[in-house]
Amino acid sequence: MDSLFQSLFITNREDKYAIIKYLLIFVETYLISKYLQWPFAFIWQIVLLLISCLLYKKSYKLEKNNKIETTILLIVAVIGAINILIGSHIHVENRVSGTLKNNYVLPFYFIDFISVIFMTSGLYRLISQTYKLIRNNDSKNATHLITYEFNLTKKSIKNILFYALILFIMWLPYLLIYYPGFVFGDTINSIDQGLKTIPFNNHHPFFYTMFITYCIRITQYFGAKDCTLGCALYCIIQMIFLSLTYSYYIWWLDKKFKLHPVVRYLLIFIFGSTTYIATYSIAMWKDPIFTAALIGLTIQLYQFIDSHGKVMTSKRWIVLTALFTIISIFSRNNGLYIMIFVSFWIILLLIKNKIQKNSHIMKPLRNLLILFVTIILFSQLITGPIYKKYDIKGEKIESVGILMNQMARVVAYNGKMSASDRAYMNAILPIKQYKTKYHPCCIDLLKWDSEFNAKIIEKDFFKHWFSMLKENPRLYFEAWVLQTYGYWTLNANDIMITNENISSGVPRNTHPEYARQMSLKAEFNNLTNHESLKQIFKIDEWSVPVGICYGIIFLLTIYILLLILFRSSTMSILPFTLVHGLMITLFIASPINYWPRYGLLIQLLLPLYIFLFIDLIKTKHNKLSNKQ
């Protein structure tokens, strides 16, 4: 017992202020666990308290952080504390159809601002002491800094194919039980376009629509009488692509971090048996393929770093990188903006390396930039003049959904508006109807309303948006919070306990009343003829919330930035740009407050960041500076 006490706590002989500091740690961890509102709050308080005490014990004799490190980590702690505070004040009863009476932000009181100070202190203590351990620990076995050239040998390809086969077989029961796959409203919209029952549009990416269309046409060419077999073909192709990409990901993690065989096969088991992952393989959304492409591109960018750009001489690497980039851009509309964000970071790397005269990396970086810019321009040629020629248009309301809901909130709460703004909002929807038809967490029901005039927003939208913003900043902020909180909050109560993902998309497989209304003809069957299997292979499963996953990635990015600050290269941050680019697009333009499929990349990359974090802990500070 004495040895346990000595390993966790500092005595007064070691630090005369030890008792005061431990009392402060207790208050900090109590408030953090209280405001987090996670299930089993008392257990989390004990865990945080023990971790804080252990970190204090391990780090109090280590070299103090310098002013820059302290400032940056303090800013992160402030952001974290405010995040937790706001999340604890979000009240949501129904994320989709709830009105302003059901979904709102609770008022803040003086005690909340006092609590933020203590939470900031506690979070700073946790993250700064962890950073000191990362900076000062020593190990000769750190792998994330060791460079590799990942040549896809015949043996490697065989391993990847073997892993993919295991995943495909483990996912197969879902296809058989929920045959021909999960069909959603989005799916039907694209099928209707493909069957020419409605005009083509780019609301859902046109290439996604064409993918579904040709799967159906191919099966009908060989005698299929309806869309059932075409949907099944789509799911089978998706299963193949996802299993190959995830296997490539697991193989790469194994090589980069020298995983124990048990860990490697544990990852295969998790990716194959986890309902949350498996159901995506047969979900006819655009998100699974989009996410898999971004995972593949993450690996490619890491290979670029690990080879110091030498992979640019490999045709196989260039083809794979181009393929993943093209799929990312054409499978979701925000893929383009993510690639622009990555290109911007490459430009910053070029500038930095030119100033530091790192000539060896300049040519590979220029070639990488040329590759991305070429693909971006190619995509704009397709989605611009060619789409225009065939009258394939998007819908402006989709790109300004969050902004429209902010304006609707102002009207619903009788906020300040000029006569011009009021007339504009009245032209979109009768002004008296906003109070009942405004849904704080979702724009969809408002824009689908029969009296909503979407044509009005085609003109002078941003003029009125800015005009109303100046008068109602708080209402605008609250509107943004209620639409996006699941992507960035660490503690929204309904997000923490939700296990709905597939079912919230209302799959026609499980809703025959919707299936009967479909314009397409498709049969939904359990090919196993054993309904009891649905209890084993369920539709929904809890997943680690996107906001928590992103919080881990954000903190890890800060740690790496600090560790390489003022050193020769910031190349280690390049693959992180995909994640941050994705999240920026969600923060700006994703009006449904929490739909895990949008942030699936964050969740599936979690193993990478866990291994990277473990590797950072066992890497000495001066080694990092030498290697970089």
Side-chain angles (χ1 to χ4, degrees):
M1 194 70 178
D2 289 340
S3 60
L4 177 63
F5 182 86
Q6 291 174 359
S7 65
L8 281 176
F9 300 102
I10 296 173
T11 64
N12 285 340
R13 292 180 181 180
E14 297 172 289
D15 186 343
K16 62 181 181 180
Y17 299 110
I19 293 179
I20 296 175
K21 290 181 180 178
Y22 281 122
L23 287 172
L24 182 60
I25 288 173
F26 176 81
V27 173
E28 292 167 349
T29 53
Y30 168 76
L31 288 172
I32 291 173
S33 61
K34 178 184 176 182
Y35 276 86
L36 275 175
Q37 298 179 336
W38 288 355
F40 313 107
F42 177 73
I43 294 176
W44 285 111
Q45 183 189 353
I46 299 299
V47 171
L48 286 173
L49 181 61
L50 291 176
I51 291 174
S52 295
C53 291
L54 182 61
L55 286 173
Y56 178 35
K57 172 72 176 180
K58 294 289 185 182
S59 64
Y60 83 105
K61 286 185 179 180
L62 298 179
E63 178 186 353
K64 292 183 178 180
N65 298 327
N66 61 39
K67 291 182 179 180
I68 294 178
E69 292 168 327
T70 299
T71 301
I72 293 175
L73 291 175
L74 183 59
I75 291 172
V76 173
V78 171
I79 292 172
I82 294 174
N83 182 306
I84 293 172
L85 176 65
I86 293 174
S88 68
H89 281 67
I90 296 172
H91 178 90
V92 173
E93 296 176 16
N94 187 318
R95 288 200 301 271
V96 177
S97 60
T99 64
L100 53 86
K101 294 180 180 180
N102 310 115
N103 305 335
Y104 48 86
V105 178
L106 294 165
F108 296 91
Y109 299 101
F110 181 73
I111 188 64
D112 292 320
F113 298 103
I114 299 298
S115 298
V116 161
I117 296 173
F118 283 99
M119 287 194 290
T120 299
S121 174
L123 290 175
Y124 175 76
R125 190 188 306 278
L126 285 167
I127 63 178
S128 66
Q129 290 173 349
T130 303
Y131 172 70
K132 285 199 288 185
L133 291 175
I134 291 174
R135 189 188 61 194
N136 288 277
N137 280 348
D138 188 10
S139 174
K140 296 180 180 179
N141 300 317
T143 56
H144 82 278
L145 296 174
I146 299 174
T147 58
Y148 296 98
E149 292 189 20
F150 296 97
N151 294 320
L152 282 173
T153 62
K154 289 184 178 180
K155 183 179 179 181
S156 299
I157 293 174
K158 286 181 180 179
N159 287 336
I160 293 171
L161 291 175
F162 176 64
Y163 301 160
L165 180 61
I166 294 174
L167 292 178
F168 188 92
I169 292 173
M170 294 181 75
W171 295 339
L172 191 57
Y174 289 91
L175 179 62
L176 299 177
I177 295 168
Y178 302 103
Y179 184 83
F182 293 122
V183 175
F184 307 97
D186 292 359
T187 319
I188 294 170
N189 181 273
S190 290
I191 292 175
D192 286 342
Q193 291 179 53
L195 297 179
K196 298 183 179 180
T197 58
I198 62 173
F200 284 121
N201 64 71
N202 200 38
H203 169 66
H204 301 297
F206 183 66
F207 276 76
Y208 161 75
T209 295
M210 287 295 97
F211 179 21
I212 296 176
T213 300
Y214 279 101
C215 284
I216 293 173
R217 288 182 180 178
I218 288 170
T219 56
Q220 290 180 340
Y221 177 81
F222 286 100
K225 295 181 180 180
D226 59 20
C227 299
T228 307
L229 195 57
C231 291
L233 177 61
Y234 175 98
C235 290
I236 290 170
I237 295 173
Q238 180 170 266
M239 289 169 70
I240 292 172
F241 180 69
L242 265 58
S243 62
L244 285 171
T245 307
Y246 295 167
S247 300
Y248 184 39
Y249 175 42
I250 293 169
W251 169 83
W252 174 76
L253 287 173
D254 181 29
K255 296 297 180 183
K256 183 168 182 64
F257 295 100
K258 296 182 178 180
L259 303 180
H260 190 280
V262 173
V263 178
R264 179 173 70 247
Y265 283 102
L266 178 62
L267 284 174
I268 294 173
F269 177 77
I270 290 172
F271 273 77
S273 65
T274 304
T275 295
Y276 181 74
I277 297 175
T279 49
Y280 276 112
S281 70
I282 63 164
M284 296 185 70
W285 277 322
K286 49 195 174 288
D287 308 271
I289 290 176
F290 169 74
T291 298
L294 288 180
I295 288 175
L297 189 55
T298 298
I299 298 169
Q300 299 303 104
L301 291 179
Y302 260 113
Q303 290 179 6
F304 179 89
I305 294 167
D306 289 329
S307 68
H308 298 289
K310 293 179 182 178
V311 290
M312 287 301 300
T313 61
S314 168
K315 291 181 180 178
R316 181 178 293 174
W317 184 89
I318 292 174
V319 169
L320 265 180
T321 303
L323 178 64
F324 286 133
T325 306
I326 290 170
I327 293 174
S328 300
I329 290 176
F330 286 108
S331 57
R332 268 200 71 89
N333 291 328
N334 59 334
L336 171 67
Y337 303 107
I338 296 171
M339 298 312 145
I340 291 174
F341 185 76
V342 174
S343 301
F344 175 73
W345 189 266
I346 296 173
I347 292 172
L348 292 181
L349 289 175
L350 276 167
I351 295 171
K352 187 175 187 298
N353 282 280
K354 184 175 183 179
I355 293 173
Q356 296 178 337
K357 298 181 180 179
N358 297 321
S359 57
H360 67 285
I361 196 65
M362 291 296 291
K363 184 177 179 180
L365 276 174
R366 280 197 297 267
N367 290 339
L368 183 64
L369 179 62
I370 290 170
L371 177 63
F372 273 95
V373 171
T374 300
I375 294 172
I376 289 170
L377 293 176
F378 168 74
S379 71
Q380 289 304 286
L381 173 65
I382 299 295
T383 58
I386 294 179
Y387 276 21
K388 186 177 181 180
K389 180 180 179 181
Y390 292 96
D391 198 30
I392 301 171
K393 300 177 181 178
E395 297 175 334
K396 185 169 182 178
I397 185 61
E398 292 302 314
S399 60
V400 298
I402 286 180
L403 310 184
M404 183 66 234
N405 234 31
Q406 289 176 316
M407 298 166 74
R409 185 177 184 84
V410 171
V411 181
Y413 275 88
N414 297 317
K416 296 179 181 179
M417 289 180 289
S418 65
S420 174
D421 293 335
R422 182 175 293 275
Y424 186 79
M425 296 302 293
N426 187 63
I428 295 174
L429 182 77
I431 208 82
K432 293 181 179 180
Q433 296 188 23
Y434 281 95
K435 192 174 290 291
T436 55
K437 293 185 176 181
Y438 162 68
H439 302 278
C441 298
C442 183
I443 182 64
D444 287 350
L445 297 181
L446 180 65
K447 73 183 183 185
W448 293 338
D449 189 271
S450 59
E451 295 188 64
F452 185 86
N453 188 354
K455 292 182 179 180
I456 299 297
I457 68 173
E458 298 290 335
K459 185 178 180 181
D460 295 333
F461 178 83
F462 287 101
K463 172 186 173 182
H464 292 282
W465 183 84
F466 279 112
S467 173
M468 295 170 72
L469 167 64
K470 289 186 293 184
E471 299 294 333
N472 306 276
R474 179 172 179 173
L475 288 174
Y476 266 46
F477 178 72
E478 289 177 350
W480 176 81
V481 164
L482 287 167
Q483 292 172 94
T484 64
Y485 72 93
Y487 299 126
W488 51 269
T489 46
L490 302 173
N491 59 325
N493 218 6
D494 62 316
I495 298 300
M496 286 300 302
I497 61 175
T498 185
N499 65 345
E500 291 186 352
N501 183 41
I502 298 296
S503 63
S504 60
V506 193
R508 276 35 178 182
N509 314 59
T510 57
H511 290 76
E513 69 278 14
Y514 286 101
R516 285 192 291 268
Q517 299 172 13
M518 294 192 307
S519 55
L520 65 94
K521 293 181 180 180
E523 296 291 332
F524 302 105
N525 296 304
N526 180 350
L527 298 185
T528 68
N529 292 321
H530 292 284
E531 290 299 310
S532 59
L533 288 176
K534 291 183 179 181
Q535 299 303 313
I536 301 173
F537 300 96
K538 297 181 179 180
I539 289 181
D540 288 310
E541 183 180 60
W542 183 85
S543 65
V544 181
V546 172
I548 292 178
C549 294
Y550 186 58
I552 294 170
I553 293 170
F554 179 76
L555 184 58
L556 190 56
T557 304
I558 296 297
Y559 283 161
I560 293 177
L561 275 172
L562 287 174
L563 290 170
I564 63 180
L565 198 61
F566 304 127
R567 289 170 177 81
S568 61
S569 175
T570 51
M571 298 292 287
S572 298
I573 305 300
L574 182 57
F576 286 77
T577 54
L578 289 168
V579 171
H580 296 307
L582 171 65
M583 295 309 292
I584 289 171
T585 62
L586 295 183
F587 294 160
I588 294 174
S590 293
I592 296 178
N593 64 60
Y594 187 72
W595 203 294
R597 63 188 172 106
Y598 293 169
L600 181 61
L601 174 70
I602 318 293
Q603 296 170 320
L604 295 186
L605 285 183
L606 199 55
L608 165 61
Y609 296 112
I610 289 173
F611 294 139
L612 189 56
F613 180 76
I614 293 171
D615 219 45
L616 282 173
I617 289 176
K618 58 182 184 181
T619 306
K620 193 169 183 179
H621 187 225
N622 57 16
K623 279 191 175 183
L624 186 59
S625 62
N626 292 334
K627 292 287 184 179
Q628 292 294 330

